Amino acid sequence: GMPMEIIVGKMFKLEIWETLLSSMRVGEVAEFWCDIIHTGMYALVSKGMRRIAEGRDPLEGQKHRCGMGNMFDYHSTGYDDLDELQRTPQPLIFIMELFRVEDPSAYKRDTWAMNKEEKLAAVPVLHSEGNRLVLRREFAQAAAKYQEAVICLRNLQAKPLFLPWEDDWLKLESLVTPLVLNYCQCQLELGEYYEVLEHTTELLQKHNDNAKAYFKRAKAHAAVWNEREAREDFLRVAHLDPSMAAAVKKELKQLGERMRKKHVEDRKRYQGLF
């Protein structure tokens, strides 16, 4: 029910389609005959498009590897005609209608479609948008902005150009840390405490002196009744950053009150059982 989008130059599985579309005018319908040298990946492309039409995830069950790797990994596409086409490749005729052409500067790219410069430029914009949404208490939307910015930076860190723990990689990491902390604060507000535990723990494995990460993890532990872990993290915060001692004292007091209340409620609940 929707037109397909192709971003030219991004190595679409059927590269010939970029050539065909680039020869067309807007509003034109054209028919192209393509030799088998250009149609080898059609079965996988069609499989994904059919799944979308059926309301399914086109990547359902697929492993993280190249298209050819997935072709060898799975003996069937789930569609008899596509399986036959994989066994006996043949020329195909494509009929295309070109609805619209957008200028690169006007198209909002997904993260995967951005180059290095575009990703670096997108990060401060996403960070600012996230902050604006937090002020409006739209925490789910803000978390999505912070997460997208982190993905941009993590994708860059994974490139061969950036070697782990060298200067350029560390500069990117310094941008990741506040974004992850902002994301965790949003998740705290949304009550997603185990999400916070996961991301703060991962952050602390790399930066074990980050007081703010310990503080957010402590609050998440407290929220899910992990009293010992919460106290250890709060005390670590006060040790790393004495300026947060007052906040830690307040949190420990609240934790103690909550735990005492919980113990009283538990005793009342269990008295009637024995």
Side-chain angles (χ1 to χ4, degrees):
M2 295 176 60
M4 182 177 181
E5 293 180 349
I6 289 183
I7 305 175
V8 175
K10 293 298 180 183
M11 301 295 289
F12 181 64
K13 287 175 182 173
L14 278 172
E15 292 184 54
I16 190 63
W17 280 13
E18 295 184 9
T19 304
L20 305 182
L21 288 167
S22 297
S23 73
M24 297 175 64
R25 295 176 182 271
V26 174
E28 180 182 358
V29 179
E31 182 177 297
F32 300 94
W33 183 95
C34 294
D35 200 351
I36 59 175
I37 193 173
H38 298 301
T39 61
M41 297 298 291
Y42 176 72
L44 288 180
V45 172
S46 181
K47 171 187 173 181
M49 294 172 73
R50 292 183 190 192
R51 284 188 165 186
I52 291 170
E54 295 165 0
R56 299 165 62 193
D57 181 355
L59 300 179
E60 178 185 304
Q62 181 170 307
K63 296 181 180 178
H64 295 289
R65 59 178 68 186
C66 67
M68 191 61 71
N70 275 300
M71 182 182 291
F72 286 115
D73 221 15
Y74 304 100
H75 304 296
S76 173
T77 62
Y79 302 95
D80 292 341
D81 58 328
L82 297 181
D83 289 345
E84 179 60 28
L85 185 61
Q86 284 198 147
R87 283 191 292 269
T88 57
Q90 51 188 297
L92 296 173
I93 293 172
F94 298 113
I95 302 172
M96 297 184 166
E97 179 178 0
L98 184 61
F99 291 103
R100 186 171 71 250
V101 177
E102 295 187 353
D103 185 85
S105 62
Y107 183 76
K108 186 183 184 304
R109 291 168 174 78
D110 289 329
T111 302
W112 65 267
M114 295 179 182
N115 59 31
K116 172 190 169 185
E117 289 73 22
E118 289 167 338
K119 287 176 181 174
L120 287 173
V123 168
V125 175
L126 291 166
H127 197 159
S128 178
E129 289 176 354
N131 293 347
R132 178 176 54 81
L133 289 164
V134 166
L135 291 175
R136 289 162 51 180
R137 300 192 64 78
E138 297 177 14
F139 297 113
Q141 296 88 329
K145 296 294 183 182
Y146 295 136
Q147 186 178 45
E148 188 176 351
V150 170
I151 290 171
C152 284
L153 294 168
R154 290 298 190 210
N155 285 346
L156 286 173
Q157 285 182 311
K159 301 292 183 185
L161 185 64
F162 297 95
L163 297 177
W165 301 106
E166 293 197 353
D167 288 346
D168 289 339
W169 188 93
L170 288 171
K171 287 178 183 177
L172 295 178
E173 187 67 19
S174 69
L175 298 175
V176 168
T177 300
L179 288 164
V180 172
L181 291 173
N182 288 359
Y183 173 82
C184 288
Q185 183 59 42
C186 291
Q187 298 302 325
L188 281 174
E189 297 286 353
L190 294 167
E192 298 292 343
Y193 304 118
Y194 290 103
E195 181 91 354
V196 176
L197 292 175
E198 177 184 347
H199 288 284
T200 51
T201 298
E202 182 181 346
L203 186 63
L204 288 166
Q205 286 171 351
K206 295 179 181 177
H207 311 285
N208 63 4
D209 59 347
N210 191 301
K212 290 182 179 179
Y214 279 113
F215 190 78
K216 295 185 192 305
R217 190 172 75 171
K219 286 178 72 70
H221 274 309
V224 296
W225 309 107
N226 296 337
E227 182 180 11
R228 180 180 59 80
E229 292 86 346
R231 289 187 180 279
E232 287 177 356
D233 278 352
F234 279 132
L235 292 173
R236 187 69 185 271
V237 171
H239 174 74
L240 290 171
D241 188 352
S243 69
M244 297 181 71
V248 167
K249 184 177 179 181
K250 179 181 176 182
E251 292 289 342
L252 286 172
K253 182 180 178 182
Q254 290 178 350
L255 175 62
E257 291 172 352
R258 288 182 69 239
M259 295 306 302
R260 280 192 292 274
K261 184 178 179 180
K262 181 177 184 296
H263 293 325
V264 170
E265 291 175 351
D266 286 346
R267 280 198 300 272
K268 288 180 179 178
R269 185 180 301 115
Y270 294 132
Q271 277 174 356
L273 298 178
F274 301 100

